[in-house]
Amino acid sequence: MERGPFRERLAEERAGTTAQIAALSRDFDAIVEANAMVAIDDEHDPEGSSTAFERAHVASLLGQAREHLADLDRALERLERGDYGRCETCGEPIPAERLEVRPAASACVRCAAAGSR
């Protein structure tokens, strides 16, 4: 397997995910800061519940982005070891089409469908 194109794809995906984490972190900090400026009683303030939802939503997206970044880092490690493109469960090759769509994939379609990864 030629590693160059996969390394480039993973690096691009990693850069985009890092930028997304930075943007979401700024959004989260802005929400927290805006709420700190006013005394909000989430239970009784009509805006409180939407603010709490927005904060929770951004926190969830931030968590997902951080997990994706960790997945990308693990994929880069597999690439360096020469294990990239092989299913961590069954050892079979992961189709190039799957790696194009999900560059951090660590499982083939069959194993992923079975719920292993």
Side-chain angles (χ1 to χ4, degrees), residues 1 5 7 18 23 26 29 35 48-49 52-53 56-57 61 73 75 84-85 96 102-103 107:
M1 169 188 297
R7 182 176 287 112
T18 300
R26 285 189 301 272
D29 291 345
N35 286 335
S49 61
F53 173 80
H57 180 71
L61 292 173
D73 287 342
Y84 184 78
R102 295 186 50 125

Side-chain angles (χ1 to χ4, degrees):
M1 169 188 297
E2 176 62 38
R3 292 193 285 181
F6 290 108
R7 182 176 287 112
E8 185 176 314
R9 175 76 169 102
L10 287 166
E12 289 172 4
E13 185 88 11
R14 191 177 193 293
T17 302
T18 300
Q20 180 184 25
I21 288 170
L24 287 168
S25 293
R26 285 189 301 272
D27 289 350
F28 186 83
D29 291 345
I31 293 167
V32 170
E33 185 178 323
N35 286 335
M37 291 183 191
V38 291
I40 293 183
D41 179 357
D42 283 358
E43 187 175 330
H44 299 101
D45 183 357
E47 294 296 317
S49 61
S50 62
T51 302
F53 173 80
E54 184 179 5
R55 184 178 55 234
H57 180 71
V58 171
S60 176
L61 292 173
L62 187 55
Q64 290 171 8
R66 287 179 175 151
E67 181 61 34
H68 184 60
L69 184 64
D71 289 344
L72 290 166
D73 287 342
R74 286 189 291 273
L76 284 165
E77 290 170 7
R78 289 192 306 277
L79 185 69
E80 292 306 313
R81 285 194 316 261
D83 297 334
Y84 184 78
R86 289 237 169 249
C87 178
E88 290 184 338
T89 303
C90 70
E92 292 296 316
I94 299 172
E97 298 83 5
R98 176 167 170 75
L99 293 173
E100 181 62 34
V101 174
R102 295 186 50 125
S106 62
C108 66
V109 175
R110 186 181 74 237
C111 290
S116 60
R117 289 187 210 263

